[in-house]
C-alpha cells in the first residue's frame, strides 16, 4: 500500500512513517517543518536531539534498505497538496500535519487564529485535493480525545445514538473542547463528516489520547532515527514532563488537584493504530471514528506511577491550574474499535517508564527548567510569551 | 443602549440598524462591502436598487433626525475590530458580518476556504477584541437553522439534555450542517461557547431560519432606505425567488421533490428578534441560543402558497436537486425563547406576499432570468461560475 504521512517530521509522524515502512508499505512523508520553527519561537528544544529529515531518511535507508520519499511544503498552499498527491498517488493519506499544542493555541489571538487557520484550511485543502486527484484515497486523520471534553456520560466512538422525546437518531457525539487547538480539531471533524456525506469520501478520524513514550522498535535502531521528546509547558505532554522532573530531582508539577482524568496511549500503540486503520480502510462515504487510547488516568495517578517507578525521592507540587477544566469529573471512554481491528495495547508499566527514565537521564544536561513552568493562562485572552518575561 | 451592527450594509444588517435606531438606541454600522463585491463577481444584482451607505445614512438622518455612525473595515483585520470597539464603546455587538450563502461556499475550494476563513477568523478576532476592550459587551451573533440539518429528533434551542446508559448531561445539540457555509457557523458556535466558558463572555447565538420579505416600517419610509432583494440561485432565498418567478410568468423552480422542510421568518420579525436579544442580554459566561424562526414549511408548500396568492397562472417545475439533502424527513423545532422575550410573530400571510409581488412587479425589468438557474453542484468539488459557462 502507498501511504503518505503528512507531518512526517513530527513527534508521531516520523515513527509512524518508519513503522509503516518497516511493515512493507511504500511510504512518503511531507512536512513544512513548522514544529521545528515553534522551538525557535519559544526558545525550547526536544530533550533528545533529532536529525534533519535528510539525515533521517538516509539513516533509515542504511539500516533497513528501504526508501522514504520526502516532500517539503505546506497544506495551506493548495497547489502543493494537489501536486504532491498527483506525484505520489497514495492509497492512504495519514494526516498529522497540524499545530497540536493546546497551550500554544491559547498564547494570544495571533496563536489562536494561526492554529485554527493552519489546521482547518490545511485540512480543507487536503479534502479538495483528494477529490481532485483520486476520491478513492482513504484519509486517516488525527483528532484528539480533547474534542469531547469531560461529559457526564460515556464517551462513544464519534457517534451517539440519541433518544429524545420518544424519537431516535444517530448523531455526531456532542463536543466540548478545551482550547482553540482542540476546537480546530472539532471543526476538522465536522468538515470531514460533511465531505464523506456529500462526496462519498472515505475517512477515519482518530481521537487520540495523550501519547507517552519516545522509542519504537524502529526509532531505536539508530540515534539518527530518534523522534522528539518534548517536556516544555507548551508542547510537552504530562507523563513525559513528569519523567524528566523525576530524573532532575524537580517536583512533579500537577495542575490543580490533579483529579482531571485523560485517556493515554503508548507511542508504540499509536503507530500500530495508524497501520491498522490504514490497512482496514473506511468504506466510501463512511466517516469512521476511533478513540485512539488504551487507558485512563488522572493526572494525580500519573504522578504517582512516575514517583513509584523512579528509584529516588520524588516530590509532587500542585500548581494553580492555568487551564479551565473540571477538577473532578466522570470519565468513561469506549475504545474498542481499534482493538477489534487487532490492536494489542501496551499498558502503562514500570518497564516502559524505566526506559523513559534512561532517555531523560542520558540527556538531562539539555533540560531548560524554566521551560517547564506554565506561562499560558486560559483565563486571559493574552499570555506573555516566555521571551517577553 | 449603544449597539454596533456588523455587516450593517447587508440584507438584514441595514434594516436591523434602522429598527434599533428607530427604537431609540445609539446605533453604528460596520461593513467591508463584501456583499456588493459578490454581486460584481457573480454578475448579479439586487432586484431592488440599493443606495450607498453614505446615501442611506443621510436619508435616515433626513427622515428620522437620527444619526447612524458608519465604520468601513474587515473583521479579518484585528486592528480594525479593536479600534472600532474602542471608538464606539458599544454595549451590544450584533454580528451579521459573514459570508452567508450556502451555494457560494460550494462553488469550489477557493470559495469554501474563503467562507470558513472569513467567517471563523473574523469571529475569532471579534471575540478577542471584546475581551481586550470591554468583556461586558454582549455579543449577538447570527447563526443559522442550517447548522442543525434535519435530525430525526426535535431540534432544541442549542442545548440538548442527553440521557445515555443511565447517565445524563446537558450538551451542545449535535449539528449536521449542509454546506461549507453552514459548517462555518457551526465552527463559530463552538468557538463562541468556549469563549463564554473560559472568559465569562456573554453571547447569544441566533439560529435563524430562511428570511423572507423585503420591507420593514423603516426601510419603506424612503426609496434610499431600501434593503437588498436577492433572487439569484446563489444568494436568493427560496420564497423571494418564487415571488419573482410568479410575477415573470416563469415556473417556480423546486429542487427535487420539494419535501425538504425549513424554518422561515419574516424580515420584520428578524429585526425585532435582534432588538429583543439586545435589550435582554445573556448573563456573563452564558452561551444562550435561540432558534430564530416562526414557522416551518416544505419547499413544495412554499411554492403552493406563492402560487395560490398570485393573481395569475403559476407553474411549478421540479429541477434535479443540486444540493445533498434529505427529500423527506422529520422536522420539529423548538422556538419559544424569543417568544418568551416578547416576539409577536408575523406569520406567512397573503398580505405580505402581495406586498412582495408588488415589489417584484415594480422592478421586473431588472430581472436576469439566467441568474435563477442553479449552477453550483454539491456533489462536485468544483462547479463552474456563471461567467465561465
Amino acid at each position: 500500500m502507498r501511504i503518505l504521512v503528512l507531518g512526517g517530521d513530527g513527534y508521531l509522524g516520523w515513527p509512524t512513517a518508519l513503522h509503516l515502512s518497516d511493515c512493507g508499505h511504500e511510504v512518503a512523508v511531507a512536512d513544512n517543518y513548522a514544529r521545528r520553527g515553534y522551538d525557535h519561537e519559544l526558545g525550547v528544544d526536544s530533550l533528545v536531539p533529532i536529525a534533519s529529515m535528510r539525515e533521517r531518511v538516509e539513516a533509515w535507508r542504511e539500516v533497513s534498505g528501504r526508501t522514504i520519499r520526502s516532500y517539503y511544503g505546506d497544506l495551506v498552499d493548495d497547489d502543493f497538496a494537489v501536486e504532491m498527491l498527483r506525484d505520489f498517488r497514495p492509497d492512504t493519506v495519514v494526516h498529522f500535519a497540524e499545530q497540536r499544542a493546546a497551550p500554544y493555541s491559547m498564547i494570544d489571538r495571533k496563536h489562536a487564529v494561526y492554529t485554527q487557520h493552519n489546521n482547518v484550511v490545511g485540512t480543507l485543502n487536503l479534502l479538495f485535493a483528494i477529490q481532485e486527484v483520486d476520491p478513492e484515497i482513504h484519509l486517516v486523520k488525527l483528532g484528539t480525545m480533547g474534542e469531547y471534553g469531560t461529559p457526564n456520560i460515556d464517551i462513544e466512538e464519534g457517534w451517539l445514538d440519541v433518544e429524545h422525546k420518544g424519537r431516535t437518531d444517530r448523531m455526531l457525539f456532542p463536543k466540548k473542547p478545551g482550547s482553540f487547538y482542540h476546537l480546530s480539531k472539532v471543526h476538522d471533524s465536522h468538515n470531514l463528516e460533511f465531505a464523506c456525506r456529500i462526496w462519498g469520501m472515505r475517512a477515519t478520524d482518530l481521537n487520540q489520547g495523550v501519547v507517552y513514550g519516545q522509542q519504537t522498535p524502529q526509532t531505536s535502531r539508530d540515534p539518527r532515527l530518534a523522534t522528539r521528546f518534548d517536556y516544555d509547558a507548551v508542547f510537552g505532554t504530562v507523563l513525559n514532563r513528569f519523567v524528566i522532573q523525576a530524573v532532575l530531582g524537580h517536583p512533579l508539577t500537577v495542575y490543580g488537584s490533579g483529579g482531571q482524568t485523560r485517556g493515554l496511549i503508548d507511542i508504540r500503540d499509536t503507530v500500530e493504530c495508524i497501520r491498522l486503520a490504514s490497512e482496514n480502510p473506511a468504506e466510501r462515504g463512511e466517516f469512521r471514528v476511533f478513540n485512539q487510547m488504551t487507558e485512563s488516568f488522572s493526572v494525580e495517578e500519573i504522578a504517582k506511577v512516575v514517583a513509584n517507578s523512579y528509584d529516588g525521592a520524588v516530590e509532587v507540587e500542585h500548581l494553580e491550574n492555568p487551564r479551565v477544566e473540571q477538577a473532578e469529573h466522570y470519565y468513561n471512554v469506549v475504545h474498542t474499535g481499534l482493538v477489534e481491528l487487532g490492536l494489542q495495547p501496551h499498558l502503562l508499566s514500570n518497564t516502559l517508564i524505566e526506559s523513559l527514565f534512561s532517555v531523560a537521564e542520558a540527556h538531562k544536561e539539555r533540560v531548560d527548567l524554566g521551560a517547564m513552568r506554565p506561562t499560558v493562562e486560559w483565563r486571559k485572552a493574552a499570555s506573555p510569551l516566555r521571551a517577553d518575561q
Side-chain angles (χ1 to χ4, degrees), chain A:
Chain A
M1 185 176 267
R2 299 178 68 78
I3 307 180
L4 174 61
V5 181
L6 307 177
D9 187 51
Y11 169 51
L12 298 174
W14 176 243
T16 298
L18 292 183
H19 180 62
L20 295 171
S21 176
D22 208 26
C23 293
H25 295 294
E26 280 301 311
V27 175
V29 292
D31 216 295
N32 66 351
Y33 306 113
R35 179 66 194 84
R36 297 183 190 239
Y38 308 144
D39 280 347
H40 293 301
E41 177 192 357
L42 300 172
V44 298
D45 201 355
S46 164
L47 182 73
V48 177
I50 53 170
S52 70
M53 181 53 81
R54 185 182 289 251
E55 293 170 299
R56 286 175 152 183
V57 165
E58 175 57 24
W60 181 242
R61 203 190 52 72
E62 284 176 29
V63 305
S64 74
R66 299 193 62 88
T67 303
I68 290 179
R69 200 185 304 184
S70 162
Y71 294 91
Y72 167 65
D74 192 327
L75 290 181
V76 168
D77 168 6
D78 69 294
D79 288 337
F80 169 69
V82 170
E83 284 162 18
M84 174 173 55
L85 294 186
R86 283 233 169 86
D87 189 62
F88 188 66
R89 302 294 307 201
D91 304 296
T92 306
V93 172
V94 177
H95 180 20
F96 281 103
E98 299 202 328
Q99 192 298 96
R100 58 104 175 142
Y104 189 84
S105 77
M106 298 301 294
I107 291 172
D108 58 12
R109 184 202 68 81
K110 198 188 280 189
H111 289 81
V113 168
Y114 164 79
T115 299
Q116 294 208 353
H117 175 263
N118 182 71
N119 294 3
V120 174
V121 173
T123 298
L124 277 177
N125 283 345
L126 182 60
L127 301 183
F128 277 92
I130 287 173
Q131 276 306 107
E132 184 171 335
V133 175
D134 179 4
E136 285 293 331
I137 291 173
H138 175 216
L139 176 60
V140 177
K141 165 75 170 60
L142 272 292
T144 162
M145 286 301 300
E147 294 182 39
Y148 296 112
T150 53
N152 195 42
I153 63 169
D154 284 10
I155 297 175
E156 304 291 334
E157 301 201 84
W159 296 88
L160 179 66
D161 290 316
V162 177
E163 188 180 333
H164 180 58
K165 295 181 178 172
R167 301 183 59 88
T168 59
D169 200 359
R170 180 169 178 260
M171 307 178 88
L172 285 177
F173 196 96
K175 304 285 179 74
K176 202 171 189 178
S179 73
F180 287 112
Y181 153 71
H182 291 105
L183 281 155
S184 76
K185 296 280 194 180
V186 172
H187 306 342
D188 282 340
S189 295
H190 280 100
N191 284 341
L192 207 49
E193 186 273 335
F194 178 67
C196 295
R197 181 152 39 97
I198 59 156
W199 295 331
M201 192 162 173
R202 51 172 100 228
T204 301
D205 202 14
L206 298 171
N207 289 323
Q208 185 168 251
V210 179
V211 184
Y212 60 87
Q214 191 264 340
Q215 290 179 328
T216 67
Q218 294 81 36
T219 66
S220 47
R221 288 171 73 176
D222 188 293
R224 293 170 295 167
L225 297 175
T227 194
R228 307 183 56 90
F229 190 19
D230 298 310
Y231 64 94
D232 63 280
V234 174
F235 279 91
T237 49
V238 57
L239 194 145
N240 288 355
R241 192 180 70 236
F242 284 170
V243 164
I244 292 174
Q245 290 171 323
V247 167
L248 294 173
H250 205 76
L252 313 190
T253 47
V254 169
Y255 297 168
S257 69
Q260 57 280 45
T261 299
R262 297 291 180 267
L264 266 70
I265 184 166
D266 185 303
I267 189 171
R268 296 167 297 178
D269 293 341
T270 283
V271 301
E272 180 65 357
C273 287
I274 305 291
R275 181 185 73 79
L276 291 166
S278 301
E279 293 180 0
N280 301 278
E283 300 296 320
R284 285 296 298 267
E286 184 188 6
F287 176 66
R288 183 174 66 169
V289 184
F290 294 134
N291 292 338
Q292 185 164 306
M293 53 167 281
T294 58
E295 292 176 282
S296 295
F297 289 93
S298 72
V299 172
E300 183 74 33
E301 286 167 344
I302 298 171
K304 279 193 187 135
V305 169
V306 171
N308 292 340
S309 328
Y310 189 65
D311 192 22
V314 175
E315 276 176 54
V316 171
E317 181 186 5
H318 289 264
L319 300 183
E320 195 181 340
N321 195 342
R323 306 189 179 203
V324 177
E325 53 191 14
Q326 288 178 277
E328 307 290 336
H329 56 87
Y330 182 73
Y331 199 71
N332 191 36
V333 181
V334 173
H335 48 92
T336 50
L338 286 157
V339 171
E340 281 162 18
L341 290 184
L343 178 67
Q344 296 182 301
H346 294 82
L347 298 184
L348 186 59
S349 67
N350 294 347
T351 317
L352 173 84
I353 295 201
E354 276 158 25
S355 84
L356 269 179
F357 286 136
S358 62
V359 170
E361 188 69 45
H363 300 283
K364 69 179 178 187
E365 79 290 347
R366 287 169 56 91
V367 170
D368 172 2
L369 286 179
M372 287 192 276
R373 288 269 152 184
T375 55
V376 181
E377 251 294 340
W378 257 238
R379 287 168 188 83
K380 291 183 195 154
S383 300
L385 271 176
R386 269 189 87 216
D388 304 333
Q389 294 185 300

